[in-house]
Amino acid sequence: MKSILCLVIAYFLGAIPWAYIVTKAVKGIDIRQVGSGNVGFTNALRTIGKGPALLVLAGDIGKGAAAVLLAKYLATPTIAALAGIMVLLGHNYPIYLGFKGGKGAAAGFGVMLALLPLEALIAVVVWLAVIFLTRYVSLGTIVGALTVPISTIIFNQELPYLLFSIVAAAFVIVKHHSNIRRLIEGTESKIGK
């Protein structure tokens, strides 16, 4: 019963649309109707600026970490890993917004901080390096996501965590399919533009 409760809570925490909430509160607009239409940090950054967007980032990271820490405390490593996947499902397909959400990078990072902190640190360093070199947030996110299963294998983590890292990376990459297409076409927006 505790395990099921952890997974349900993880979905509903993951589904909290911080970009929607903060953008509505700050500018009175629906973030789904501006910029890329994505309910996430990058679109919030472009739409409402750095300060409020940092609230979005903190909320998304926080909900991922909170859900997994609760599951780790109440259940098993396997349930904690499944809770991480439920956070991603909630973030990407939130019941509160008609199942149309964000791309899962920040929420996934929060999950990683709670499940695999060293791998999370490696992913964020890679993310920052790619953004610094290319000025493409999406490319940094995709490459950062790809490092997660690789570093999880290198550090010989438990099987549930390895499976989570593969699923999470796949989630992030699949949700960035339109960005990948624009990167290939040379039409993806760079940071600062």
Side-chain angles (χ1 to χ4, degrees):
M1 191 63 186
K2 282 182 182 178
S3 297
I4 293 169
L5 184 62
C6 286
L7 297 180
V8 171
I9 289 170
Y11 172 81
F12 282 100
L13 276 176
I16 297 170
W18 285 111
Y20 177 85
I21 293 167
V22 174
T23 304
K24 200 77 156 164
V26 170
K27 284 208 172 177
I29 57 175
D30 184 340
I31 194 167
R32 298 171 296 178
Q33 307 301 320
V34 294
S36 67
N38 184 52
V39 186
F41 168 71
T42 303
N43 197 31
L45 180 64
R46 292 182 180 131
T47 305
I48 55 177
K50 290 178 186 174
L54 286 175
L55 292 175
V56 172
L57 185 63
D60 283 349
I61 291 171
K63 70 186 183 183
V68 170
L69 289 172
L70 179 68
K72 281 177 89 171
Y73 178 72
L74 293 177
T76 64
T78 299
I79 296 302
L82 288 172
I85 291 170
M86 293 303 289
V87 167
L88 292 176
L89 284 171
H91 183 82
N92 289 316
Y93 308 103
I95 192 169
Y96 313 120
L97 296 179
F99 303 100
K100 294 181 182 175
K103 296 182 180 178
F109 180 67
V111 170
M112 292 264 313
L113 283 175
L115 277 183
L116 301 161
L118 182 57
E119 290 83 346
L121 178 62
I122 291 167
V124 81
V125 168
V126 169
W127 177 72
L128 287 169
V130 172
I131 293 171
F132 177 77
L133 293 171
T134 68
R135 294 177 43 220
Y136 288 119
V137 174
S138 59
L139 184 60
T141 303
I142 292 162
V143 176
L146 286 171
T147 68
V148 175
I150 294 167
S151 58
T152 304
I153 291 167
I154 290 169
F155 294 119
N156 199 28
Q157 294 289 356
E158 296 178 56
L159 182 60
Y161 293 174
L162 173 60
L163 294 176
F164 163 78
S165 71
I166 293 167
V167 171
F171 253 108
V172 171
I173 292 164
V174 168
K175 289 295 279 186
H176 280 80
H177 66 89
S178 58
N179 302 89
I180 293 168
R181 187 180 65 249
R182 289 192 299 270
L183 284 163
I184 291 167
E185 293 170 352
T187 58
E188 178 74 333
S189 296
K190 289 189 174 187
I191 209 165
K193 289 190 176 181

